[in-house]
Amino acid sequence: MISFQLPTDRVHNLQLAFHKEGAGLVASWRSSHSSCTIVSWDNLEQNPDWQLSDILLYLSPDGEWVSFFDKEIGEVRITRVGQSEPTAVIERDKSARNVWTAVAPDGVALAWKEEPHTVVRSLPDGEVIAQVRTGFGVDLRFSPGGRWLTEKGKRVFRVFDRSDDYRVIARIQTPRFKLAEVSDGLTAVVTTSDSTVSIWDLSSNTSTTSLQVGSVSTLAITADGERVLTGSTDALECGRISDSTA
């Protein structure tokens, strides 16, 4: 096992992704509410090979792409991890209040909010390929393999089907402060108000089982939907969904 230290003394909202090839790693975190850093290692036993710091940076689930909305200029820049210049620049209204952006795996699509709509544009040309009326939403993310797009609304977690013109296939009711993730299959996991993780079947839009986990400050699910990782300030726990209770 290799251990390594992040080049910071304060970490919030940590996201990790392995390189598609080799043993490299990409890490994204916030050291304050206004500063985000994304770092890439080709070799964890050496210093980082690439680093990008700014406000409003968002890392794609495959760890390959970074999106950044520059409100002063009115553009979203998409940069491939490891490169010094953006691979695509898409114009966006400077007055946009919702700053969330998300890039699909392989860098083929970009999503943002133009409330009450969720807008998806193709990359690198920026052509609009979907505009779905959904209402307020934040924390836009594509699933690890790119099958779904998700967002968190007011007490709801939405799942969009990319193969069906981004139709919303699931609206999962949630507490006000929640964590939610989705696999590339038909499984979603959502924290509830009573310190449990609820397992959802997207095909029926129903909760099937739950995991008793206690306090949760971070949540992840494997792409195959078989295991759930939960974390708090004290510990990380990994559970198998098949061991959960109905």
Side-chain angles (χ1 to χ4, degrees):
M1 178 179 292
I2 297 175
S3 62
F4 66 99
Q5 185 173 359
L6 296 175
T8 181
D9 58 358
R10 179 175 296 181
V11 173
H12 299 286
N13 302 327
L14 177 65
Q15 179 183 352
L16 300 174
F18 288 104
H19 289 179
K20 285 187 174 181
E21 298 179 359
L25 181 73
V26 181
S28 170
W29 70 87
R30 297 188 184 279
S31 54
S32 70
H33 292 296
S34 60
S35 177
C36 180
T37 300
I38 298 177
V39 172
S40 176
W41 292 264
D42 286 335
N43 187 335
L44 291 176
E45 296 179 320
Q46 299 177 3
N47 291 329
D49 303 279
W50 182 87
Q51 180 171 322
L52 183 64
S53 296
D54 214 317
I55 59 174
L56 310 177
L57 296 177
Y58 298 101
L59 180 67
S60 65
D62 57 1
E64 290 285 320
W65 306 91
V66 179
S67 56
F68 166 57
F69 174 34
D70 190 327
K71 287 177 65 69
E72 292 186 1
I73 299 177
E75 63 184 27
V76 178
R77 295 193 287 272
I78 297 89
T79 302
R80 189 161 198 163
V81 170
Q83 296 186 358
S84 59
E85 298 294 332
T87 58
V89 178
I90 310 299
E91 291 186 1
R92 187 181 182 188
D93 189 346
K94 296 180 183 180
S95 63
R97 306 177 82 179
N98 191 318
V99 299
W100 285 93
T101 58
V103 181
D106 297 322
V108 296
L110 169 70
W112 68 53
K113 294 293 294 188
E114 290 180 7
E115 290 164 351
H117 297 93
T118 300
V119 177
V120 185
R121 294 173 177 265
S122 61
L123 291 175
D125 55 27
E127 180 182 353
V128 175
I129 54 178
Q131 184 167 299
V132 185
R133 187 180 180 89
T134 53
F136 172 80
V138 295
D139 200 5
L140 280 71
R141 299 187 188 188
F142 289 89
S143 59
R147 182 177 183 181
W148 317 110
L149 171 67
T150 66
E151 69 179 23
K152 297 171 185 174
K154 294 180 178 178
R155 299 182 184 273
V156 66
F157 178 60
R158 304 184 188 98
V159 182
F160 303 78
D161 186 353
R162 294 183 65 201
S163 66
D164 190 10
D165 294 325
Y166 288 85
R167 179 176 64 89
V168 178
I169 66 160
R171 292 178 175 86
I172 301 173
Q173 299 302 310
T174 63
R176 181 181 178 186
F177 300 104
K178 74 280 186 182
L179 298 170
E181 295 290 346
V182 65
S183 70
D184 278 311
L186 292 170
T187 303
V189 290
V190 180
T191 56
T192 67
S193 57
D194 58 351
S195 299
T196 63
V197 173
S198 181
I199 315 299
W200 283 74
D201 179 358
L202 297 180
S203 63
S204 60
N205 202 17
T206 58
S207 176
T208 57
T209 58
S210 62
L211 293 170
Q212 298 294 327
V213 294
S215 176
V216 179
S217 58
T218 187
L219 177 69
I221 184 173
T222 54
D224 60 8
E226 291 295 321
R227 292 180 181 273
V228 177
L229 179 70
T230 62
S232 66
T233 55
D234 300 319
L236 289 172
E237 296 184 11
C238 185
R240 189 182 295 274
I241 288 180
S242 59
D243 296 334
S244 56
T245 58

